[in-house]
Amino acid sequence: VEVAHPAVFVVALTHDDEVVLVDLYRYTTGRWSTEVPAGSTDGEDALVAARRELAEETGLEADEWTRIGGMSSLNGICDAPEHVFLARGLRAVAGDAAATRATQAEEGIARVRRVPFAEVLAMIGRGEIVDAETMAAMLHVAVHLGRVR
């Protein structure tokens, strides 16, 4: 089984070493989930899709983009390629804030927050972040930044 389009995961890092996370309700599990911005490429180039997802889910855009790597977290049940990006130089998207909030509501996003990088790792350790793709994306970025070996 192959998914129609690959997915993208964005670890957006502020100048203060904070990761931008979204909190959303996952109906499939019946629980709230804290995640990095992510979504389908919808047939777009992965970087184009990553930029779109960051803007739609957080209202932010980034000056600097680095493709960190790929992963396949669902390889036991399907072929679902995933791309991980690091986004830096964050700023608010120019335009209609109400439209951004409407898109977030449509996506089921209840909150966007900035959490220190080390605290995100601690949240994973405490079981507060359980989304496997978010955990894998954070590990990719932590290795890239030399914070784990």
Side-chain angles (χ1 to χ4, degrees), residues 7 24 30 38 52 55 57 60 73 78-79 81 86 94 101 104 118 120 145:
L24 65 160
R52 175 180 45 77
E57 295 190 6
L60 298 170
S73 63
C78 67
D79 182 14
L86 172 61
R101 286 191 301 277
Q104 289 170 337
V120 174
L145 296 174

Side-chain angles (χ1 to χ4, degrees), residues 34-138:
T34 299
E35 304 175 9
V36 297
S40 172
T41 61
D42 294 332
E44 297 173 308
D45 172 78
L47 178 57
V48 171
R51 289 178 186 269
R52 175 180 45 77
E53 290 294 338
L54 181 64
E56 287 177 355
E57 295 190 6
T58 69
L60 298 170
E61 54 190 9
D63 291 325
E64 180 185 334
W65 288 87
T66 306
R67 184 180 188 283
I68 301 300
M71 53 190 187
S72 181
S73 63
L74 302 173
N75 65 359
I77 58 172
C78 67
D79 182 14
E82 301 167 329
H83 305 278
V84 177
F85 289 90
L86 172 61
R88 290 177 158 164
L90 304 177
R91 65 183 178 286
V93 172
D96 187 358
T100 298
R101 286 191 301 277
T103 300
Q104 289 170 337
E106 191 176 290
E107 295 276 338
I109 295 169
R111 179 168 64 157
V112 177
R113 56 184 164 142
R114 298 171 185 215
V115 179
F117 194 97
E119 178 59 17
V120 174
L121 299 181
M123 291 169 72
I124 292 169
R126 292 191 301 264
E128 295 169 21
I129 294 176
V130 297
D131 175 63
E133 289 143 322
T134 292
M135 291 188 280
M138 286 298 300

